[in-house]
Amino acid sequence: MSVQSLEIFLKEKKEVIDKQLPLYIEKMKAPTSLKEAMLYSVYAGGKRLRPILLLAAMQAFRKDDEAGLPVACAVEMVHTYSLIHDDLPCMDDDDLRRGKPTNHKMFGEAMAVLAGDALLTNSFGIIANINHPFVTSEMKVELIKGLSDAAGAEGMVGGQVADMEGEEKNLQLQELEYIHQHKTGNMIRYSVIAGAVLAQATKEQLQHLEVFADHLGLAFQIQDDILDIEGDEAVIGKPVGSDENNQKSTYPKLLTLDGAKKKLNYHIAAAKEALLKTGIDTTRLEEITNYMVTRNH
Amino acid sequence: MSVQSLEIFLKEKKEVIDKQLPLYIEKMKAPTSLKEAMLYSVYAGGKRLRPILLLAAMQAFRKDDEAGLPVACAVEMVHTYSLIHDDLPCMDDDDLRRGKPTNHKMFGEAMAVLAGDALLTNSFGIIANINHPFVTSEMKVELIKGLSDAAGAEGMVGGQVADMEGEEKNLQLQELEYIHQHKTGNMIRYSVIAGAVLAQATKEQLQHLEVFADHLGLAFQIQDDILDIEGDEAVIGKPVGSDENNQKSTYPKLLTLDGAKKKLNYHIAAAKEALLKTGIDTTRLEEITNYMVTRNH
């Protein structure tokens, strides 16, 4: 049982990530301009939810999370690359992210493409380079395979393509879930599983944690859609109802607002049920689940 | 000593790569449109020089090259991704590659970005997934680390940034070499070294092969610049003298044509000298060197 409050845990872990992440880039022997562009988006980071999930998963196994830090940073680098490429004019064409100019607005499109490419490429090297007594080569291979699956054609990139192609369509619930599971869900699942792999979880524990993370990922997205309708514009930072205006398929649109809330509660309950089956100290992961699905921004 | 002619060797290995490479993509559970875009550029492949170098390096150690095939395909996927992103409107803005419409001309810019991203991401997974009795986890980790270094900010992406920034400048020889060593040289070196790692080369052999591959990479680029001046327009497929017209810094421009030829010969000789020191059967690698630096297209 953890005595540290969730708030302090989140703050501390975020600080650890915020401190470590730029170090990988700063020490690279690469053109200054490229490093600047990479660092810009890495510094512009948000809540660092994925790396925090990874570190929380390790702690649930009562493992010191030091060995998880490189993988946590790699996950955040992959997340950052995906945001840079998503913001490009040929993709979502966004000028602002978290209130700051997007990467291509700052450094030009060519540099934004390349900064994203480098963040993605080097994230694999960071995992391969882990130098820690209990991280074996077998673990590294498993972690790299998992990251490639979660981020590649069968994961995040596939979800992004499906999202792009579904933009102007009225999606079925199944299609909407495919998009969310792949575009955001797979990297959330990877974060949890990577922590568990590092903590030498059993095969059975890994299966329960996969179920947990998949429900968490969907709950997170449904909450996002509900927030878009109910949220306070000033708090979430984008016009409330923007999804509705741009014809985007959402859970409330497909299920009604009440139906979406029921589905949200179903996924939260299923996530927690799966957690219970792992036999580990899941207090923190439960707290993070509550935090992620009741956030107001 | 090999009895098979170089011509037949190159043809056979190219066929093996051409056959295996698409299989990795075809079996992916990913949106059809994404797979189509990935396959389009993978099928539009050229001479497959990098994977062939890898397989030739393995053969030099008298190793069956079957275990090298996944890594050879991963190398070609990374090469293919780099061409797709290089051709984008925000980069070189090319409409044609090898006489066919570039990826973004066929599938749109967003899909081209994503197809490149997926090829890059999944190449690491292909190495992590190798299932072959003599490929250990330690080897896989070394191969993945090497690929990340060769392709990332300290390698190919860094070279691409330097090239972009050097376009309108009169470069010093040192700057020109930095660009070539990183933009193309590091992946050529990686191809040779990956084959040697799979063949369990000694540390000393790896060092000699690095020297070999670095000289080969530079010779390859110098030959490219010389071809641009002396080549037959119909054979090389782009207007002769195009480098000169677009202000690009080249070896002949910095060293005179005669000076560039002397430098070419220096690198060829140094490459072969390094090969001799490895104590392996380097016949084929020497033949490939001759082929790469005397090609007329």
Side-chain angles (χ1 to χ4, degrees):
Chain A
M1 287 284 281
S2 176
V3 286
Q4 193 186 34
S5 79
L6 176 68
E7 211 174 322
I8 291 172
F9 174 84
L10 294 176
K11 187 168 170 289
E12 271 188 18
K13 295 303 171 195
K14 179 175 161 13
E15 278 169 7
V16 170
I17 302 291
D18 285 348
K19 194 179 155 195
Q20 182 60 38
L21 195 47
L23 294 182
Y24 288 112
I25 297 162
E26 277 159 13
K27 73 173 181 205
M28 286 177 184
K29 286 178 198 141
T32 313
S33 53
L34 173 63
K35 287 166 67 172
E36 254 178 61
M38 292 166 79
L39 284 168
Y40 175 79
S41 290
V42 153
Y43 278 127
K47 293 186 283 295
R48 313 290 193 199
L49 278 181
R50 289 155 193 80
I52 287 172
L53 267 175
L54 190 155
L55 299 177
M58 286 191 78
Q59 283 203 354
F61 288 88
R62 299 178 188 278
K63 288 275 179 185
D64 170 34
D65 62 14
E66 194 195 309
L69 196 52
V71 190
C73 288
V75 164
E76 191 66 8
M77 277 170 64
V78 169
H79 179 58
T80 306
Y81 121 77
S82 76
L83 300 181
I84 295 176
H85 282 194
D86 277 8
D87 287 337
L88 287 170
C90 66
M91 309 272 279
D92 291 350
D93 194 13
D94 279 318
D95 292 351
L96 291 173
R97 169 160 303 270
R98 299 190 187 109
K100 291 175 68 180
T102 45
N103 198 288
H104 66 271
K105 279 282 156 190
M106 283 298 287
F107 304 99
E109 277 181 61
M111 187 64 91
V113 170
L114 291 167
D117 290 344
L119 286 167
L120 171 61
T121 311
N122 287 103
S123 66
F124 291 97
I126 287 172
I127 299 177
N129 263 315
I130 298 173
N131 185 7
H132 191 281
F134 79 66
V135 183
T136 63
S137 294
E138 284 71 25
M139 275 186 202
K140 291 186 200 174
V141 170
E142 198 173 340
L143 291 167
I144 287 162
K145 180 174 147 27
L147 183 57
S148 172
D149 287 346
E154 298 191 350
M156 187 174 66
V157 174
Q160 178 64 25
V161 168
D163 190 22
M164 212 165 73
E165 293 179 337
E167 252 165 28
E168 304 294 316
K169 284 198 301 189
N170 282 320
L171 298 177
Q172 303 288 317
L173 184 63
Q174 210 188 344
E175 297 170 302
L176 186 66
E177 293 212 327
Y178 176 92
I179 292 170
H180 290 318
Q181 275 162 346
H182 291 78
K183 193 177 168 179
T184 57
N186 284 4
M187 284 297 290
I188 287 174
R189 175 165 72 185
Y190 176 74
S191 303
V192 173
I193 293 302
V197 165
L198 284 162
Q200 293 171 281
T202 65
K203 214 168 174 177
E204 220 187 349
Q205 286 172 325
L206 288 175
Q207 282 166 354
H208 293 311
L209 285 171
E210 272 190 20
V211 175
F212 157 69
D214 284 346
H215 285 294
L216 174 62
L218 282 173
F220 186 68
Q221 274 312 136
I222 299 170
Q223 170 69 1
D224 211 52
D225 285 355
I226 293 173
L227 261 184
D228 186 69
I229 293 177
E230 294 195 327
D232 178 330
E233 184 162 333
V235 176
I236 66 169
K238 62 175 175 176
V240 174
S242 66
D243 288 347
E244 203 171 354
N245 296 337
N246 68 19
Q247 298 285 9
K248 209 178 144 191
S249 296
T250 66
Y251 283 93
K253 208 178 282 173
L254 265 73
L255 302 172
T256 74
L257 183 57
D258 196 49
K261 283 181 182 175
K262 274 189 189 133
K263 198 154 183 73
L264 170 65
N265 287 329
Y266 158 73
H267 284 299
I268 295 171
K272 289 182 179 174
E273 200 189 306
L275 265 190
L276 280 180
K277 292 181 186 163
T278 57
I280 51 175
D281 178 3
T282 57
T283 321
R284 190 63 86 201
L285 286 171
E286 248 181 273
E287 286 174 358
I288 293 177
T289 302
N290 291 333
Y291 167 76
M292 282 176 69
V293 298
T294 56
R295 76 211 144 92
N296 59 0
H297 63 286
Chain B
M1 287 284 281
S2 176
V3 285
Q4 194 186 33
S5 80
L6 176 69
E7 211 173 322
I8 291 172
F9 175 85
L10 294 176
K11 187 169 170 288
E12 271 188 19
K13 295 304 170 195
K14 179 176 163 10
E15 279 170 7
V16 170
I17 302 292
D18 285 348
K19 194 179 155 194
Q20 182 60 38
L21 194 47
L23 295 182
Y24 287 112
I25 297 162
E26 278 158 12
K27 73 174 182 203
M28 287 177 182
K29 285 178 198 140
T32 313
S33 53
L34 173 62
K35 287 165 69 171
E36 255 178 62
M38 293 166 79
L39 283 168
Y40 175 79
S41 290
V42 153
Y43 278 128
K47 293 187 283 293
R48 313 291 192 197
L49 279 179
R50 290 156 191 80
I52 287 173
L53 267 175
L54 190 153
L55 299 178
M58 285 191 78
Q59 283 204 352
F61 287 87
R62 300 179 186 278
K63 288 274 178 187
D64 170 34
D65 61 14
E66 193 195 309
L69 197 53
V71 190
C73 289
V75 164
E76 192 65 8
M77 276 170 65
V78 169
H79 179 57
T80 305
Y81 121 76
S82 76
L83 300 181
I84 296 175
H85 282 192
D86 278 8
D87 287 337
L88 287 169
C90 66
M91 307 274 277
D92 291 350
D93 194 13
D94 278 317
D95 293 351
L96 291 172
R97 170 159 305 269
R98 299 192 188 107
K100 291 174 67 181
T102 45
N103 197 288
H104 65 272
K105 279 283 155 188
M106 284 298 289
F107 304 99
E109 276 181 63
M111 187 63 90
V113 170
L114 292 166
D117 290 345
L119 286 167
L120 171 60
T121 310
N122 287 101
S123 66
F124 290 98
I126 287 172
I127 299 177
N129 263 315
I130 298 174
N131 184 9
H132 191 281
F134 79 65
V135 183
T136 62
S137 294
E138 284 71 26
M139 275 187 204
K140 291 186 200 174
V141 170
E142 197 173 339
L143 291 168
I144 287 162
K145 180 175 147 24
L147 183 58
S148 172
D149 288 347
E154 298 190 349
M156 187 174 67
V157 174
Q160 178 65 24
V161 169
D163 190 22
M164 211 164 73
E165 292 179 337
E167 253 165 26
E168 305 293 314
K169 283 196 304 187
N170 283 319
L171 299 176
Q172 303 287 316
L173 185 62
Q174 212 187 344
E175 296 170 302
L176 187 64
E177 294 213 326
Y178 177 92
I179 291 171
H180 290 317
Q181 275 163 345
H182 292 77
K183 191 176 169 180
T184 56
N186 284 4
M187 283 298 289
I188 288 174
R189 176 165 72 187
Y190 176 73
S191 305
V192 173
I193 293 302
V197 165
L198 285 162
Q200 292 172 281
T202 65
K203 213 168 174 176
E204 220 186 348
Q205 286 173 325
L206 288 175
Q207 282 166 353
H208 293 311
L209 285 171
E210 273 190 21
V211 175
F212 157 70
D214 284 345
H215 285 295
L216 174 63
L218 282 172
F220 184 68
Q221 274 313 134
I222 298 170
Q223 170 69 2
D224 211 51
D225 284 355
I226 293 173
L227 261 184
D228 186 70
I229 293 177
E230 292 194 330
D232 177 333
E233 182 161 334
V235 175
I236 67 172
K238 63 175 176 176
V240 174
S242 66
D243 288 348
E244 204 171 354
N245 295 337
N246 69 17
Q247 297 286 5
K248 208 177 145 191
S249 295
T250 66
Y251 283 93
K253 209 179 277 173
L254 264 74
L255 302 172
T256 75
L257 182 58
D258 195 51
K261 286 181 180 175
K262 276 191 187 128
K263 199 155 183 69
L264 170 65
N265 287 329
Y266 159 74
H267 285 298
I268 296 171
K272 290 182 179 175
E273 200 188 305
L275 266 190
L276 280 180
K277 291 182 187 160
T278 57
I280 52 174
D281 177 4
T282 57
T283 320
R284 190 64 87 202
L285 287 171
E286 248 180 90
E287 285 174 358
I288 294 177
T289 303
N290 291 333
Y291 167 77
M292 282 176 69
V293 297
T294 55
R295 79 212 143 92
N296 58 0
H297 63 286

